[in-house]
Structure formats: C-alpha cells, structure tokens
Amino acid sequence: MEPADVDTVVSPEWVERRRSAFERDDDEYQLVEVNAYPDTYQEGHIDGAVTLDWQADLRDTTVFDVPSPAAFEQLLGSLGVTRDSTVVLYGDTQNWFAAYAYWLLAYYGHPDIRLLDGGRDYWAASGRELTERVPSVSTRTYTVEETASSIRVDREGVLAAMDDGEQLIDVRAPAEFRGEILSPPGWNEGVQRGGHIPGAINVPWSRVMQSNGRFRPLTEIRNVFTDHGIDRNDDIVVYCRIGERSALTWVALHELLGFDSVRHYYGSWVEWGNTVGAPVAQGREAGP
C-alpha cells in the first residue's frame, strides 16, 4: 500500500479533485500552507490555501510551549476552521513544518487532518499551478474539546521513559546525533551542547521519505524501523532539534504505520541540550 492510499496522507490528485471545495468560503475543507519561511507563501501557493507562520502561530513564544487552548481556538477560527472541517496541511522542506502543524492539531483533538504528500515542492515540480491570490475566509468559532496527552511527552517524561526502557528515537542527521554539529547547516543553532539523549538510537527522518519529498511505501517505512528492532508494540519517544522533523516521523509511525504508543518530545534537543544537568551522550549513532 502506498501512503497516498492512507486517509492521513493525500495525493495531489486528491486535492485537485476537491479544488472547488477548497476555494469556497465554508467550513467543509481548508487548505493550509506551513513553511520554514513565511514569505514563501507570498511567492505562490495552491489556490484556496491560507497560511500559518510556525514560529508566530504554532507556539507560544513567551513560554516556548504549544499555544494555549484559547489561542489555538482563536487561530483555527481565524482560518475559517471548525471542528467539522477537513484540514489539509502542506508546506516546503518536505513538509517538516506542515507535519509539526499536523501533530499540534492532533494534540488538540481535531477530528479530520490530512497531509498533502510531497508538500509544496512536489506540487510545483509536478507542473501544478501556484497562485499569489490570497483567499478571503470568514472567521468562525472553533472549540477545543480534548487534549491528546498520550501523544506528547515533556522532559520529565523522557527521563521516566529512559528509566522504563522505552525506545527513544532521535531523527536528526547523524552528525547532529553524534554531536559534531548543533543544527542542520544554515539553521539557527539555538542550543549550547551537541550530542543525543543517552539510550536513543538514530533513525534520520529522511529514511521515511523519497527524494521527491513524498513518503516511501508503507512496507519500506516499516522495514526501516524493523531493521532497528522497533515494532508496533514498543513504547516510543521521538525527538529532533526543535520538533518539526520528529513530527514528520511521528506521522509516519503513529498515523501511517498505526503504532499505538508514540509520543512526541515537543521540547526536543533545544530544551534537553540547554538544560543544566541533563545527561548527554556523544559519538557514533546506534543501530544497524
């Protein structure tokens, strides 16, 4: 089965068949672009799409946590979204930040979330049109009814997971995992120490993706984790540097493969690496 056949991940063709619905100003469908750099949206986007700034909109920059329920309700309502809406997310950098937004919507219990396979870059590379037209959407009322605490873990929870022998997966590049660099080249580091959480294994996020930015077939994704001795019965914690790449791996494990117990460490390495006394390991990556 290809990921595009899974409800969570939708193909460009799936979106094209619903273009008129995305372009209507109602709450049935909403297409949302989330990029590494917010100016990218102004350069062209899928017709009918609105945009979110992951830094300003998808986190509380004062406490460096997820938005409060009230802020999240206001944000979704400003996009014309209700709890009845099908929200389809996509973006650049192979959907890193779109996956981050996906996880946040899942955390706040939104019932129907999709991720456009391949994101913005694949859409454009396959010859599909982008527009500079910004849609007008009506503000609606959004209500948070639940929080999915089972898909999130904080630093104290990670320490407990280490004691309990849960499987920690660091999805950063091997050089980051080993502590040779603090961030991907060209990105703000935001952390003082290199290395990884002791006991974590390194399964880079890119292992679940094809070169064109689309997910690999499910059998291949499953084999990536099976090769590291990981299966659906494990209790798993995923993390990266700021939480966007690990959100993509969380989608692969929890949503595509159906692994039940996968928690996302929201603080990730920026929190852990900057915490006095937090244990750090360095050196070669674990696993095959």
Side-chain angles (χ1 to χ4, degrees), residues 21-260:
F22 286 118
E23 294 167 11
R24 290 196 305 265
D25 183 19
D26 61 30
D27 69 343
E28 183 180 9
Y29 288 95
Q30 188 56 272
L31 190 61
V32 184
E33 182 170 300
V34 191
N35 298 313
Y37 303 101
D39 290 346
T40 304
Y41 175 83
Q42 308 301 332
E43 298 169 2
H45 48 270
I46 301 174
D47 204 9
V50 295
T51 187
L52 288 173
D53 182 336
W54 73 270
Q55 296 193 68
D57 296 329
L58 300 182
R59 60 179 182 168
D60 184 322
T61 57
T62 301
V63 297
F64 291 97
D65 200 347
V66 298
S68 68
F72 185 78
E73 289 175 341
Q74 182 177 12
L75 177 66
L76 270 289
S78 72
L79 300 179
V81 173
T82 69
R83 284 186 61 81
D84 294 327
S85 302
T86 296
V87 178
V88 180
L89 298 150
Y90 76 97
D92 61 6
T93 57
Q94 296 190 299
N95 273 337
W96 286 4
F97 295 96
Y100 176 91
Y102 183 107
W103 175 85
L104 183 62
L105 265 71
Y107 176 70
Y108 274 125
H110 188 77
D112 192 353
I113 325 164
R114 316 293 176 96
L115 192 65
L116 172 57
D117 201 17
R120 184 182 191 278
D121 295 336
Y122 181 78
W123 179 276
S126 59
R128 294 175 170 88
E129 293 184 358
L130 298 174
T131 182
E132 296 180 6
R133 185 183 71 85
V134 177
S136 176
V137 296
S138 300
T139 299
R140 296 183 171 86
T141 298
Y142 189 92
T143 304
V144 172
E145 295 183 359
E146 59 184 343
T147 300
S149 58
S150 63
I151 66 172
R152 182 183 181 184
V153 63
D154 60 13
R155 184 170 58 85
E156 294 301 319
V158 173
L159 288 168
M162 294 167 64
D163 290 340
D164 292 340
E166 294 186 30
Q167 183 62 72
L168 274 63
I169 302 177
D170 185 320
V171 312
R172 295 174 299 163
E176 291 176 87
F177 180 87
R178 293 191 296 265
E180 297 165 4
I181 61 175
L182 297 179
S183 67
W187 290 77
N188 177 37
E189 293 171 344
V191 67
Q192 301 300 312
R193 296 185 295 171
H196 57 270
I197 300 174
I201 63 171
N202 187 212
V203 186
W205 66 275
S206 57
R207 295 288 306 279
V208 305
M209 307 299 290
Q210 302 179 65
S211 60
N212 62 7
R214 304 187 78 176
F215 282 104
R216 294 183 182 277
L218 295 186
T219 53
E220 293 183 17
I221 296 174
R222 186 177 292 106
N223 288 340
V224 165
F225 295 100
T226 299
D227 290 346
H228 285 80
I230 301 166
D231 64 38
R232 64 179 302 114
N233 296 316
D234 291 330
D235 294 320
I236 299 168
V237 171
V238 293
Y239 75 93
C240 62
R241 183 177 65 95
I242 58 174
E244 85 292 20
R245 290 172 287 176
S246 48
L248 192 66
T249 297
W250 180 87
V251 169
L253 284 167
H254 191 274
E255 305 290 83
L256 299 188
L257 295 183
F259 285 26
D260 292 328

